[in-house]
């Protein structure tokens, strides 16, 4: 007999991943639209808003789904932390759907500003929604961007595991989302030149699809005319597994063995009995 709780549990987890990723992209893509098309703010605004978007997204979904918000995180946790492989594709689809809907909201909200800034909806404003090598302006090639995304996502997963590993010096549950957000801010400030630090297949593909469906006919290509959409999908998946593997090899394997929460969950504070 089927477990009557199994379907509602996965539905609640997918709803949480959808909602958390939607929050992330509302702030992330929203700030790029504001800076690029509206002329308000700068790169620091973008880095901080993306980091805060991650923090708020993790606070939104953390208790229910673990707030992966990123297929690269989900795959890496399945490879190294025992997260169920049956949930990997549903999680990735929910994350991508959340990113897609959020990008549509940003596209609608900033439609007038985007039209005034870039009437033809060209590469000039395409990177509001999706990444391109050198942010569409600098002389960066496709393979340089591919390598950059492997490195950036490896850094992200290495530090996510460090922050969430309860055997290590992990922050308490209520601070973990904030620290993960700071990790994204730091990556944005140090690793944003070559490929716009997508470091998340859902973050890039969902908004890319939304932009394509709303007038950006070149959304799948970079400024050189090459098919580029696959780079922020494949490279982060490789980088995430690489970063998680490095953490396990360099740090995780040497930590004391303790009882850990279900893979993919936010760490919780240890319970203490009465003194």
């Amino acid at each position: 007999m089927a477990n009557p709780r199994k379907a509602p549990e996965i539905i609640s987890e997918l709803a949480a991943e959808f909602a958390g990723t939607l929050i992330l992209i509302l702030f992330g893509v929203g700030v790029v639209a504001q800076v690029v098309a509206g002329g308000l703010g700068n790169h620091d605004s973008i880095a901080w808003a993306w980091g805060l978007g991650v923090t708020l997204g993790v606070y939104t979904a953390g208790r229910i789904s673990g707030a992966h918000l990123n297929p690269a995180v989900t795959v890496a946790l399945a490879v190294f932390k025992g997260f169920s492989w049956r949930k990997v594709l549903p999680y990735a689809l929910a994350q991508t759907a959340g990113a897609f809907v959020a990008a549509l909201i940003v596209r609608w909200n900033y439609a007038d500003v985007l039209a005034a800034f870039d009437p033809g909806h060209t590469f000039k404003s395409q990177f509001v929604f999706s990444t391109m090598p050198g942010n569409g302006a600098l002389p960066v090639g496709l393979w340089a961007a591919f390598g950059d995304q492997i490195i950036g996502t490896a850094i992200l997963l290495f530090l996510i595991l460090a922050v969430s590993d309860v055997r290590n010096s992990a922050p308490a549950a209520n601070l973990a989302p904030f620290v993960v957000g700071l990790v994204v801010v730091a990556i944005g400030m140090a690793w944003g030149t070559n490929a716009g630090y997508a470091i998340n297949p859902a973050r890039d593909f969902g908004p890319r699809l939304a932009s394509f469906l709303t007038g950006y006919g070149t959304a799948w290509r970079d400024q050189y005319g090459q098919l580029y959409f696959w780079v922020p999908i494949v490279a982060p998946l490789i980088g995430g597994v690489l970063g998680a593997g490095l953490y396990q090899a360099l740090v995780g394997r040497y930590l004391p063995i303790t009882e850990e929460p279900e893979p993919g969950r936010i760490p919780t504070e240890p319970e203490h009995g009465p003194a």
Side-chain angles (χ1 to χ4, degrees):
M1 184 177 178
N3 182 349
R5 295 186 59 192
K6 186 160 286 189
E9 181 180 354
I10 187 62
I11 289 173
S12 66
E13 291 173 354
L14 297 182
E17 286 295 305
F18 175 91
T21 311
L22 182 139
I23 293 297
L24 161 61
I25 300 303
L26 284 176
F27 285 96
V29 172
V31 73
V32 181
Q34 178 168 282
V35 171
V36 172
L40 300 176
N42 52 32
H43 177 72
D44 286 352
S45 307
I46 293 173
W48 278 106
W50 272 109
L52 290 170
V54 168
T55 295
L56 297 171
V58 175
Y59 275 126
T60 296
R63 184 66 179 267
I64 298 173
S65 69
H68 300 184
L69 315 186
N70 182 342
V73 173
T74 303
V75 169
L77 291 175
V79 172
F80 291 104
K81 290 293 187 179
F83 184 75
S84 173
W85 280 103
R86 292 182 301 173
K87 294 181 179 180
V88 169
L89 181 58
Y91 264 52
L93 292 175
Q95 294 153 3
T96 303
F100 173 77
V101 171
L104 286 179
I105 294 171
V106 173
R107 178 74 174 86
W108 172 79
N109 185 70
Y110 283 106
D112 292 344
V113 174
L114 287 166
F117 176 75
D118 180 18
H121 301 310
T122 67
F123 294 116
K124 184 179 178 182
S125 62
Q126 179 176 310
F127 70 95
V128 165
F129 300 95
S130 55
T131 59
M132 290 190 289
N135 295 313
L138 299 174
V140 177
L142 183 149
W143 291 109
F146 187 89
D148 172 271
Q149 284 302 284
I150 291 177
I151 296 170
T153 316
I155 295 170
L156 175 68
L157 263 295
F158 187 101
L159 293 174
I160 284 177
L161 291 195
V163 167
S164 63
D165 195 335
V166 294
R167 301 172 301 155
N168 204 345
S169 300
N174 60 332
L175 288 178
F178 178 72
V179 177
V180 172
L182 289 179
V183 169
V184 174
V185 172
I187 291 173
M189 289 183 170
W191 291 89
T193 297
N194 280 5
Y197 74 108
I199 57 175
N200 181 339
R203 167 268 175 273
D204 195 85
F205 184 78
R208 191 181 295 272
L209 178 60
S211 67
F212 175 75
L213 294 176
T214 58
Y216 285 85
T218 59
W220 307 115
R221 299 182 180 273
D222 62 18
Q223 66 269 35
Y224 309 114
Q226 302 176 97
L227 279 178
Y228 184 77
F229 76 93
W230 62 272
V231 172
I233 297 174
V234 176
L237 293 174
I238 296 172
V241 171
L242 178 62
L246 285 172
Y247 175 81
Q248 291 296 103
L250 298 176
V251 180
R253 63 186 295 188
Y254 300 114
L255 293 170
I257 298 175
T258 59
E259 184 177 345
E260 295 190 50
E262 181 184 354
R265 298 294 180 179
I266 299 296
T268 57
E269 299 182 59
E271 294 182 3
H272 301 284

